[in-house]
Amino acid sequence: MGLKEEIRNWDGKTAGDILAIYHEHVCHRDFSHDLIAALSEPPLQNGASWLLKEYLSNKNQLEATTIARVYHLLPLFDHWESKLHILQCMKFMPIPIDLKNELHQFLRLCLKDQNKLIRAWGYNGINVIATHFPEFESERDELLEKARENEAASVKARIRNILKEKN
């Protein structure tokens, strides 16, 4: 069975099952290509984004053109889990200069999300983009300072981690 079919058949919850899909397919030559193709299909995004996070967390890398494709797909992500996975992948995916403004807009929307995890990792994304592009540093510093005062405790915990990493 192909990667897309296995993601489609996954129950969307069982971590062991999605990890088994990862181990079955990661060794295939076209894994990253198939993964990005799955990301472009909304019903498959949660599973595909989880697999991408697992792939990158295991010190695998994507080509620059593949990273650009992932960032181009951001407007299609409407489920909080797929957004979260992509936000968590940012530290592994260098930001193409021609996509920095588009990514910045996505991150600003994440900071307004009702989901606390999306907001927390949106702040993390703002930090990542500011690390790569100094023109975002002052905005990052201002946003993090305001968040330390106004955000929920769970978001503040992520902010503290960002500030520790930054210093």
Side-chain angles (χ1 to χ4, degrees), residues 6-46:
E6 290 210 35
I7 296 171
R8 192 171 282 111
N9 291 332
W10 175 54
D11 67 6
K13 297 174 184 159
T14 310
D17 291 349
I18 194 74
L19 189 58
I21 293 169
Y22 173 80
H23 287 297
E24 181 179 335
H25 290 274
V26 70
C27 57
H28 296 154
R29 185 176 53 102
D30 294 330
F31 179 72
S32 62
H33 178 272
D34 294 343
L35 196 53
I36 303 313
L39 278 174
S40 67
E41 296 184 33
L44 304 180
Q45 286 173 349
N46 286 349

Side-chain angles (χ1 to χ4, degrees), residues 84-147:
L84 176 63
H85 297 149
I86 297 302
L87 289 166
Q88 292 171 330
C89 288
M90 281 186 63
K91 65 182 176 182
F92 304 115
M93 299 190 309
I95 302 163
I97 194 165
D98 61 322
L99 293 177
K100 69 179 179 178
N101 292 325
E102 183 179 327
L103 180 58
H104 180 256
Q105 289 175 351
F106 171 77
L107 294 169
R108 291 297 302 226
L109 288 174
C110 289
L111 298 183
K112 296 174 185 175
D113 202 286
Q114 290 183 1
N115 187 297
K116 294 173 194 168
L117 281 171
I118 298 301
R119 289 199 315 271
W121 283 93
Y123 286 110
N124 190 78
I126 291 288
N127 184 55
V128 171
I129 201 169
T131 302
H132 290 86
F133 301 102
E135 65 261 37
F136 296 111
E137 286 177 355
S138 62
E139 178 191 37
R140 173 205 51 207
D141 295 343
E142 184 179 314
L143 286 168
L144 291 177
E145 190 58 38
K146 285 181 184 176

